[in-house]
Amino acid sequence: MRIYNSLTGKKELFYPIHNDYVGIYVCGPTVYNHLHLGNCRTFILFDVVFRYFQHLGYKVRYVRNITDVGHLENNNGQSEDDKINKRSKIEGLEPMEIVQKYTISFHNILNTLNLLPPNIEPTATGHIIEQIDMVKDLINKKLAYEVNGSVYFNVRKYNKNYSYGILSRNNFHQLINKNLNFLEDKYYYQDFSIWKKVNPNHIMGWNSPWGKGIPGWHTECTVMSTKYLGKNFDIHGGGIDLKFPHHECEIAQAKSFYTTEKNSSNNLANYWMHTNMLTLDGKKMSKSKGNFIELRNLFLIRKKNDCFPNIIRFFVLQSHYRSILNFSEKSLLDAEKGFKKIFLSLNIINDACQNRFTKKNNNETSSSFDTSKWIHSCYQAINDDFNTPLLISLLFKVSNIVTDANEIEKISDIFLLKKYINHFFFEILGFKKEDNQTNVSKEKLKKLEILVNRLIQFRKEEREKKNWFISDKIRKELYNIGISLHDKSINK
RNA sequence: GGCACUGUGGCCGAAUGGAAAGGCAGAGGUCUGCAAAACCUUUUAUAGCGGUUCGAUUCCGCUCAGUGCCUCCA
């Protein structure tokens, strides 16, 4: 299996640190707002990564954090505000109420999209002590300094022994942006906060050797990833917009904290994976720029369409995770058609297997379709840096063959095909088999089903009488509530 | 200004130093009371200019266009 490693800019063969085990850390959300479609792209991709490693038989530990404190926002160099604290003022809720509200929303959305939960989902507030320990250590190593109750990482000093910018390929000296002011407390523009002083009456704040404060965002990820995966682990993932500064700073802290020898090759994770941006009208989907689509709104609009979460997943996986993906209504419609086409052919295969089981297949001529070769191609696709679009195109190939009734009869190893296409579609790509999210009781559903069947039967009778007005009206009404009827010739 | 990435038909989107996947849309057809669906057939593409090469869409250089990051971001 090959993975594109952002550290080297190349596709590399994947070797886990420990045989049979894979450790993955993905930067989760800061829970101060509802998720938008762009956020989900990353989580959907890593859901596939997680599923695929498990499919291959690895024991995977997948860690995805929740940032519930410490994500600072720079206010034009005047001050730094915690995002959640800021939001709590806007909504008139306690910070932890904000955290609770948006954590629940986050879980609901990912659950609807059929994402597997990570093995560990640590929160920043649950790891304050560890973060304080790391800050202390960095001060002892003279790689961080305290000013007015806040602590900053000394990037210039770090850069003398290590190289700051190895991940983002930034040159330390060229990082200065003259247009931007920076906090006066900092020695250098490039330095970043690892501990931030807060007002003593502030509800979100912890006692530390430097007074009451909150930990910095970058520190949190270094602490939690290494706590649960070790000081060197396999895969670290996140959106490409986190590459700099967030991931660069994570590496800087980890190297400072864990390495004893200079020029150690430990870059926190061996493979860094970055998902590209989802755009709207060619521009990055982003909250601060105001162009974004919230998933909960999409779900509300498409309530009638019960396979909508699958369509979102299909839309996302139909492009490669390292390319920019543009969102449009049309692309969703395309995805819907594509998804349904493959879904339909899965049913055909399953039916065909049923028939084979009852009737013995005596067909002598064999199909030109080579199932073993096809399976091999599918693995090749996903093994090549998770090339899901290529894998999906292979599913379409089967779909085209299977819809030909003569051709499907000839496929000798149909049971093998059934097994693997189900593996790829449900187990690896993670599509949901059926949406049984209704709260309606089974009793009620049964009654409804009888009613609809009666109506269809009634329409059939009217059709046979050539009473087109009635039958067309029923067809239209049923279509409006999401039941579409496809008529065949009445002569047959 | 610095760093990085991208450019494939009408649209989306793979692959590749040696006849350019797949999907959507379009066109034609089968079917049909009509509609829809389904199925079959089918047109159209490597941004531009150079270089390396027997051969470049692929590698290299330049130009043009777009995107991301440069301390809020998945």
Side-chain angles (χ1 to χ4, degrees):
Chain A
M1 166 140 92
R2 294 196 306 158
I3 293 179
Y4 180 89
N5 191 350
S6 298
L7 265 175
T8 55
K10 285 177 194 145
K11 277 187 200 169
E12 294 173 1
L13 278 172
F14 177 75
Y15 295 108
I17 295 169
H18 306 287
N19 280 344
D20 307 329
Y21 291 86
V22 178
I24 305 173
Y25 185 87
V26 173
C27 291
T30 302
V31 278
Y32 74 109
N33 230 324
H34 294 291
L35 274 195
H36 65 63
L37 199 54
N39 302 130
C40 285
R41 187 180 187 191
T42 302
F43 302 131
I44 290 174
L45 184 264
F46 283 101
D47 186 55
V48 173
V49 171
F50 181 36
R51 285 165 179 273
Y52 187 54
F53 277 117
Q54 284 183 321
H55 171 84
L56 290 179
Y58 285 102
K59 284 201 78 173
V60 188
R61 184 176 288 170
Y62 176 29
V63 182
R64 187 184 63 209
N65 71 301
I66 297 240
T67 301
D68 55 356
V69 75
H71 198 152
L72 302 173
E73 211 173 85
N74 192 318
N75 294 326
N76 234 345
Q78 301 301 309
S79 61
E80 281 178 330
D81 252 3
D82 179 275
K83 274 174 177 290
I84 285 158
N85 192 45
K86 198 176 166 186
R87 189 76 203 168
S88 77
K89 287 176 194 159
I90 294 168
E91 294 198 26
L93 296 170
E94 287 293 341
M96 269 301 173
E97 286 184 303
I98 292 290
V99 165
Q100 179 75 350
K101 177 179 171 184
Y102 292 109
T103 301
I104 290 172
S105 164
F106 170 68
H107 285 149
N108 278 343
I109 287 169
L110 295 198
N111 201 28
T112 307
L113 288 170
N114 204 31
L115 268 78
L116 299 173
N119 302 100
I120 300 175
E121 195 167 47
T123 59
T125 51
H127 300 76
I128 301 288
I129 291 165
E130 291 89 335
Q131 294 180 78
I132 290 174
D133 286 346
M134 182 173 281
V135 174
K136 272 190 205 162
D137 179 79
L138 296 179
I139 291 175
N140 285 341
K141 286 178 175 155
K142 310 243 186 292
L143 284 165
Y145 54 89
E146 187 228 321
V147 178
N148 293 329
S150 294
V151 183
Y152 301 93
F153 188 89
N154 191 332
V155 174
R156 181 162 297 201
K157 196 150 185 200
Y158 167 83
N159 194 51
K160 281 181 184 161
N161 292 336
Y162 308 94
S163 61
Y164 184 76
I166 42 162
L167 179 66
S168 56
R169 292 189 186 77
N170 274 315
N171 184 318
F172 166 77
H173 298 285
Q174 288 171 334
L175 274 172
I176 295 161
N177 183 340
K178 282 169 187 155
N179 299 323
L180 208 83
N181 303 316
F182 65 93
L183 293 176
E184 284 180 2
D185 287 350
K186 294 204 280 191
Y187 291 178
Y188 307 110
Y189 169 77
Q190 297 94 333
D191 294 352
F192 55 91
S193 309
I194 53 177
W195 184 264
K196 194 75 203 165
K197 177 188 179 178
V198 294
N199 201 305
N201 56 26
H202 200 305
I203 194 164
M204 296 290 269
W206 288 264
N207 291 324
S208 76
W210 321 282
K212 197 171 178 184
I214 54 171
W217 178 41
H218 310 312
T219 319
E220 160 203 345
C221 282
T222 311
V223 162
M224 295 194 286
S225 59
T226 54
K227 174 161 180 144
Y228 299 109
L229 296 169
K231 62 183 176 183
N232 179 217
F233 54 93
D234 296 302
I235 296 170
H236 191 307
I240 201 168
D241 52 353
L242 295 185
K243 198 193 236 181
F244 188 87
H246 185 53
H247 292 161
E248 198 69 66
C249 295
E250 278 187 52
I251 292 178
Q253 291 167 142
K255 273 182 168 318
S256 310
F257 190 70
Y258 289 109
T259 37
T260 42
E261 291 167 36
K262 285 178 192 175
N263 305 321
S264 156
S265 58
N266 177 4
N267 292 309
L268 188 59
N270 288 353
Y271 302 86
W272 286 78
M273 290 174 69
H274 290 102
T275 50
N276 214 322
M277 295 294 101
L278 188 102
T279 59
L280 190 61
D281 299 324
K283 295 280 174 196
K284 176 184 172 184
M285 197 173 272
S286 146
K287 289 247 164 79
S288 52
K289 281 173 193 149
N291 62 325
F292 60 89
I293 291 176
E294 273 185 10
L295 272 147
R296 68 195 179 111
N297 289 338
L298 268 185
F299 289 152
L300 265 169
I301 296 165
R302 313 288 171 130
K303 222 174 178 177
K304 265 202 268 181
N305 192 343
D306 53 354
C307 59
F308 189 65
N310 275 335
I311 292 163
I312 294 277
R313 192 181 262 267
F314 193 87
F315 164 71
V316 165
L317 295 177
Q318 220 181 356
S319 83
H320 190 259
Y321 76 91
R322 281 189 292 117
S323 349
I324 292 167
L325 172 60
N326 192 50
F327 174 84
S328 67
E329 272 298 315
K330 192 186 171 292
S331 56
L332 267 193
L333 290 174
D334 287 357
E336 177 171 1
K337 284 178 184 169
F339 170 77
K340 285 186 172 166
K341 193 170 176 174
I342 293 176
F343 197 80
L344 194 76
S345 52
L346 281 171
N347 289 336
I348 293 173
I349 293 176
N350 291 340
D351 286 351
C353 287
Q354 282 284 327
N355 292 339
R356 288 283 172 93
F357 203 68
T358 46
K359 299 179 223 165
K360 280 219 164 154
N361 178 36
N362 297 322
N363 220 323
E364 279 150 26
T365 51
S366 63
S367 167
S368 56
F369 181 79
D370 186 335
T371 304
S372 312
K373 206 171 166 186
W374 177 83
I375 294 166
H376 182 71
S377 303
C378 287
Y379 277 111
Q380 249 181 351
I382 194 130
N383 279 337
D384 185 12
D385 194 28
F386 302 96
N387 196 334
T388 53
L390 192 59
L391 178 58
I392 286 173
S393 81
L394 288 162
L395 299 182
F396 274 118
K397 275 204 171 140
V398 170
S399 175
N400 288 334
I401 284 162
V402 143
T403 42
D404 187 335
N406 293 322
E407 198 63 24
I408 195 169
E409 281 289 308
K410 292 186 201 160
I411 300 174
S412 51
D413 33 19
I414 185 94
F415 288 94
L416 193 68
L417 181 64
K418 179 193 166 183
K419 182 180 164 190
Y420 277 91
I421 200 163
N422 278 288
H423 270 329
F424 286 119
F425 198 68
F426 296 113
E427 197 180 300
I428 295 169
L429 293 177
F431 292 104
K432 210 176 199 170
K433 280 194 175 158
E434 53 197 59
D435 291 82
N436 39 8
Q437 56 196 358
T438 44
N439 296 322
V440 193
S441 70
K442 278 188 178 171
E443 190 90 358
K444 268 188 179 173
L445 268 176
K446 211 169 185 178
K447 281 180 185 168
L448 204 66
E449 205 183 313
I450 292 167
L451 190 68
V452 169
N453 284 336
R454 279 281 168 85
L455 208 57
I456 291 170
Q457 185 59 36
F458 173 69
R459 178 174 175 273
K460 199 182 160 194
E461 286 162 21
E462 291 304 304
R463 257 190 99 224
E464 277 160 7
K465 290 182 209 159
K466 304 208 176 189
N467 198 344
W468 308 126
F469 180 77
I470 299 275
S471 66
D472 286 1
K473 195 173 164 70
I474 293 171
R475 182 170 63 190
K476 200 180 172 195
E477 292 293 333
L478 286 175
Y479 181 78
N480 286 343
I481 59 164
I483 300 168
S484 52
L485 297 175
H486 309 310
D487 292 332
K488 283 179 186 167
S489 166
I490 35 177
N491 302 322
K492 284 181 183 173

